[in-house]
Every structure is written in structure tokens, then in C-alpha cells.
């Protein structure tokens, strides 16, 4: 049964793998449309993040009983873990509207002042990537968060006048993937800070079961486990893989997503059993095969795989480090023993470079210096 928000897959079903496919936790524009249909609408339906969900439920229920707006909420964590979903759930639980914007979109303080003045009492203002908000707008936000008032400056130079503008009480929900980039004054004005964690496989299977039901996909338990195990602990990636496996199941199989179908589909899309895609494996292969496991600078490593250093550092490395396949050391990037084993390569004589930070006279060629500088 086809769901109403399915889109045409022309060009993807004739054995052609999309060039842009990856297991990136970032969402594209079309993917956001599908995500909106899969999002939960209440804390009861929200899967995972039990500590944050429980704490947030107490904050919201307490505010409703007092008849006041809740404290401002900051949600921090890697992309794809449900920060936007929780922001929308806050508005749903409070029975108020949610106005959505992003930090980079607010370039001037006047833009923010206009947005705040249009909020109805109790509304939720959600600012995604709030750490990227312009500094003048951020300073205007301080007074709005504390006193529900903004000062609008009229005129320029010595004749400029600040006109105080009262705004309706509101709840600000900020989301950030880089909490360390938030300024102290802004961070301190949030009454509740929730740190989102990566999901366990069992929780991802529950996410997949719910999404499969909404998508009209027949998903078996072993098929769900196979997809969840390759999803990097991220619901967004799990849902994306489910949709791609569904495509394969409908075209190449009988429509049921079993373990065998999931394995075949994910092999076609270059996603291995750890969740590594083509670029991730290219980085590990270059590090191991071309540079003997490292240490090597990120710029040199990027040239070896034909990518920009920023792509390697921001897209590939976080998961490789979390998976224990790569280490960032003062001497450069180093492949761990697990990386050699994952690639099916024998360990070098004398062990992996990570094990010899200082020179070992028993191992020819060992040195405490960086072998390949950036």
C-alpha cells in the first residue's frame, strides 16, 4: 500500500544508486517532508531519550498546573536525534502554536523583533541551530527571554531613541548541534537543558516498527534488527534506510522487508554492517593502505580520498571515532586495531601505530614524529 507522501523514485529503481546517497544524519529538503509525516505528536508517542522526555514532561506539566509559560528549553545533541520533534511536541502538549526559524536566517535584530512581536500568548518559538544566530539578534533575545520586552531603536546617531516594546509571554526552544559555541549569557537564560543521546538498537527497532506501520511496510523482526544495527544510533538514518530497503523490497522482492532483503538492499547502497558508507571506508582504506595506519594529517587524508578536509573532519570522522575505528591524536589521525580488522587486513608488525606514541627501538621505522603532516 502506497502512503500519500511517497514520491516518485524514477531513476532509482533501474539498478542506479543515487550518487548523493549516504548515511549522513543531516536531512535534505525532500526528506523533511517525509519526516514531518513520521514525527510523533506527543511525549507518549516519542520513542527513546527517556531521561530527557521524563524531565521535559515534568517541566511542561508543572507549567500547565501553574497556568504559566514553561521555562525556555535548550536541546543539544548530534543531528537526527529528535530535537525538532521534541520542539513540536512541546507546542502540542501546551496546545499552542509553534513558530519555526533557524539561527542563520536571523541576520538582524529587527528580524527577530518582528518575529517576537507577532507571537500570541503562550506560543513556542523554535530556533534551530541557535548557536549560529547573529550577535545583535542574540543580544536582543536576552531581554525578550527574561522580561518579555524588546527595545526597538528608532533613528541613528545622537538622535536615536530606544522604544520599549512589550511582547506576549512565550517559550523559546533552541536546538543546537554545537553547544560549546553558545555564549555563556545565552546558555544561562535557558531554564531547562536537555542533552540528546544516541539511540540503542532496541529503541531504533521500535522507531522502525512505528515508521513501517505509517509507511505501510511489512517489516519483520530480523529485518528491523538488521536496519537498526546499521543506523549509527540515529532515528533519521534508520528511517532513511527503511525507505530505501522498502524500495528494494517492492521492486526486487515480494514487498516484505526481511533480514535477507535488508542485507541485499543495504549492500546495494554501500552501507556495511557497521553503518559505514563508501566515503567512510575510503577514509579508512587510505589511512591503512596508503599511510600504514597513520599518524596522518586530515588535509593529506582528504587529498587521498578526493574530498575537502572539512568533509572528512565533519562528516566522516565523528562516527569513525565513536565506533572506535579512528583516533584523533596530537600526531594526526590513526587507524585503530578495530579498523584493520574491519577492513580484513592483517595487523602491521609491531602493532597498530596508536599503540606506539613514542619511538620503539625494537620496531624499525617507528618514531614519535608525525609521519604524514597536514
Amino acid at each position: 500500500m502506497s502512503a500519500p507522501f511517497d514520491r516518485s523514485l524514477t531513476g532509482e529503481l533501474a539498478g542506479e544508486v543515487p550518487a548523493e546517497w549516504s548515511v549522513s544524519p543531516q536531512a535534505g529538503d525532500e526528506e523533511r517532508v517525509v519526516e514531518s509525516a513520521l514525527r510523533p505528536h506527543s511525549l507518549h508517542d516519542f520513542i527513546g531519550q527517556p531521561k530527557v522526555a521524563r524531565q521535559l514532561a515534568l517541566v511542561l506539566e508543572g507549567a500547565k498546573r501553574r497556568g504559566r509559560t514553561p521555562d525556555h528549553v535548550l536541546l543539544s545533541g548530534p543531528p537526527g536525534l529528535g530535537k525538532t520533534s521534541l520542539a513540536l511536541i512541546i507546542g502540542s502538549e501546551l496546545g499552542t502554536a509553534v513558530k519555526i526559524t533557524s539561527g542563520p536566517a536571523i541576520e538582524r535584530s529587527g528580524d527577530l523583533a518582528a518575529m517576537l512581536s507577532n507571537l500570541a500568548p503562550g506560543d513556542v518559538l523554535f530556533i534551530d541551530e541557535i548557536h549560529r544566530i547573529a550577535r545583535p539578534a542574540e543580544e536582543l533575545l536576552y531581554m525578550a527571554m527574561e522580561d518579555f520586552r524588546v527595545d526597538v531603536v528608532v533613528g541613528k546617531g545622537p538622535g536615536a531613541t530606544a522604544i520599549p516594546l512589550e511582547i506576549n509571554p512565550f517559550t523559546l526552544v533552541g536546538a543546537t548541534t554545537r553547544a560549546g559555541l553558545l555564549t555563556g549569557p545565552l546558555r544561562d537564560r535557558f531554564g531547562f537543558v536537555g542533552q540528546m543521546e544516541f539511540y540503542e538498537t532496541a529503541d531504533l527497532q521500535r522507531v522502525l516498527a512505528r515508521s513501517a506501520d505509517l509507511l505501510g511496510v511489512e517489516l519483520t523482526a530480523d529485518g528491523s534488527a538488521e536496519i537498526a544495527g546499521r543506523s549509527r544510533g540515529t532515528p533519521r538514518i534508520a528511517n532513511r534506510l527503511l525507505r530505501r530497503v522498502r524500495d528494494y523490497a517492492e521492486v526486487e522482492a515480494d514487498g516484505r522487508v526481511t533480514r535477507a532483503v535488508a542485507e541485499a538492499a543495504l549492500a546495494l547502497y554501500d552501507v556495511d554492517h557497521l553503518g559505514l558508507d563508501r566515503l567512510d571506508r575510503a577514509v579508512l582504506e587510505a589511512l591503512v593502505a596508503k599511510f600504514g595506519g597513520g599518524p596522518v594529517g586530515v588535509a593529506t587524508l582528504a587529498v587521498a580520498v578526493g574530498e575537502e578536509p572539512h568533509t572528512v573532519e565533519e562528516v566522516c570522522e565523528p562516527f569513525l571515532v565513536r565506533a572506535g575505528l579512528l583516533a584523533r591524536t596530537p600526531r594526526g589521525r590513526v587507524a585503530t586495531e578495530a579498523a584493520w580488522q574491519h577492513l580484513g587486513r592483517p595487523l602491521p608488525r609491531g602493532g597498530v601505530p596508536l599503540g606506539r606514541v613514542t619511538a620503539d627501538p625494537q620496531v624499525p621505522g617507528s618514531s614519535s614524529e608525525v609521519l604524514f603532516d597536514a
Side-chain angles (χ1 to χ4, degrees):
M1 180 177 65
S2 178
F5 43 82
D6 285 353
R7 62 181 178 87
S8 172
L9 297 175
T10 303
E12 294 187 20
L13 299 182
E16 178 184 345
V17 179
E20 72 277 10
W21 169 253
S22 69
V23 284
S24 169
Q26 304 291 346
D29 292 337
E30 292 185 3
E31 189 170 20
R32 290 191 178 93
V33 177
V34 181
E35 280 188 352
S36 65
L38 298 179
R39 291 190 194 281
H41 300 291
S42 67
L43 284 173
H44 179 267
D45 295 331
F46 188 81
I47 298 171
Q49 312 294 340
K51 180 179 290 187
V52 173
R54 175 61 176 158
Q55 293 171 345
L56 191 56
L58 292 174
V59 171
L60 299 180
E61 183 61 28
K64 287 192 289 186
R65 293 188 180 188
R66 291 189 298 271
R68 303 284 299 275
T69 57
D71 285 345
H72 303 297
V73 176
L74 177 65
L75 301 173
S76 172
L81 299 185
K83 297 186 292 296
T84 301
S85 293
L86 277 179
L88 297 176
I89 285 173
I90 290 174
S92 177
E93 294 283 347
L94 295 175
T96 60
V98 180
K99 306 298 176 63
I100 302 175
T101 186
S102 65
I106 305 175
E107 298 180 350
R108 298 180 297 273
S109 58
D111 299 336
L112 181 61
M115 196 174 300
L116 292 171
S117 63
N118 288 326
L119 293 175
D123 275 359
V124 174
L125 175 62
F126 174 53
I127 303 181
D128 198 11
E129 295 298 305
I130 194 171
H131 63 272
R132 298 175 61 187
I133 192 172
R135 189 58 184 269
E138 179 183 323
E139 292 175 351
L140 181 75
L141 198 56
Y142 295 162
M143 189 177 297
M145 294 174 69
E146 287 190 331
D147 304 323
F148 301 118
R149 179 174 69 90
V150 294
D151 288 337
V152 179
V153 179
V154 178
K156 295 183 178 180
T161 304
I163 300 177
L165 176 65
E166 299 293 330
I167 58 176
N168 291 314
F170 71 100
T171 298
L172 174 66
V173 180
T176 178
T177 56
R178 308 283 294 275
L181 297 183
L182 286 174
T183 61
L186 179 59
R187 185 170 54 247
D188 292 343
R189 282 171 168 79
F190 286 99
F192 172 77
V193 179
Q195 177 63 46
M196 310 289 281
E197 304 289 345
F198 286 103
Y199 278 57
E200 299 293 335
T201 301
D203 287 333
L204 285 177
Q205 288 185 258
R206 293 169 58 203
V207 170
L208 287 168
R210 179 180 180 275
S211 298
D213 184 58
L214 293 173
L215 290 169
V217 178
E218 186 177 350
L219 177 65
T220 65
D222 57 354
S224 174
E226 188 65 31
I227 297 173
R230 305 188 189 205
S231 299
R232 302 187 177 205
T234 307
R236 177 177 292 157
I237 295 176
N239 285 328
R240 184 187 303 157
L241 294 180
L242 174 63
R243 296 196 301 273
R244 298 288 72 81
V245 173
R246 173 197 60 176
D247 298 340
Y248 183 93
E250 291 177 351
V251 175
E252 301 290 343
D254 60 0
R256 296 175 66 247
V257 176
T258 63
R259 179 184 295 275
V261 169
E263 288 177 344
L266 296 176
L268 176 64
Y269 286 108
D270 283 332
V271 180
D272 68 18
H273 68 278
L274 288 184
L276 272 61
D277 64 6
R278 179 199 59 79
L279 183 57
D280 297 325
R281 288 193 301 276
V283 169
L284 288 183
E285 284 283 1
L287 185 57
V288 169
K290 297 181 180 179
F291 304 109
V296 60
V298 65
T300 303
L301 192 57
V303 171
V305 297
E307 291 287 349
E308 294 294 325
H310 175 80
T311 302
V312 173
E313 195 167 17
E314 298 295 329
V315 176
C316 298
E317 286 190 351
F319 179 70
L320 293 177
V321 171
R322 186 163 61 89
L325 300 173
L326 180 144
R328 290 173 172 173
T329 73
R331 302 168 60 208
R333 274 57 176 175
V334 176
T336 66
E337 182 175 332
W340 291 80
Q341 294 173 346
H342 182 69
L343 296 175
R345 293 179 174 271
L347 295 176
R349 187 162 60 94
V352 296
L354 187 61
R356 42 184 172 88
V357 177
T358 58
D360 184 350
Q362 303 300 320
V363 180
S366 68
S367 170
S368 58
E369 300 300 323
V370 177
L371 302 183
F372 303 95
D373 201 354

